[in-house]
């Protein structure tokens, strides 16, 4: 979040589904995962502060959690 705030770079929210298949201790090969990609979140260029970084992080987290629901 701090880097995005400092540069004004949009953040692309991405959510991975079915990750338990890939992280299973007894799985072999490459299981298929679902990837959900949201709309870019615009970020204004500004001096990053811990408060602004936390707000942006919370916004990104909420956006990622809302993908696919």
């Amino acid at each position: 979040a701090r880097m995005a705030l400092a540069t004004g770079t949009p953040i692309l929210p991405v959510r991975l589904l079915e990750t338990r298949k890939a992280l299973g201790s007894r799985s072999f090969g490459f299981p298929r995962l679902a990837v959900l990609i949201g709309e870019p979140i615009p970020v204004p260029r500004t001096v990053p502060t811990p408060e602004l970084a936390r707000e942006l992080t919370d916004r990104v987290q909420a956006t990622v959690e809302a993908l696919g629901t």
Side-chain angles (χ1 to χ4, degrees), residues 31-69:
R32 290 186 178 252
L33 303 177
V35 180
L36 303 175
I37 302 172
E39 294 294 320
I41 299 171
V43 179
R45 185 175 184 178
T46 186
V47 176
T49 65
E51 294 80 19
L52 288 174
R54 171 53 39 205
E55 289 174 14
L56 181 55
T57 299
D58 291 343
R59 183 175 169 204
V60 170
Q61 183 175 356
T63 301
V64 168
E65 289 174 356
L67 289 174
T69 58

Side-chain angles (χ1 to χ4, degrees), residues 3-4 10 14 19 28 35 41-42 50 67:
M3 190 182 313
V14 176
T19 57
F28 294 98
V35 180
I41 299 171
L67 289 174

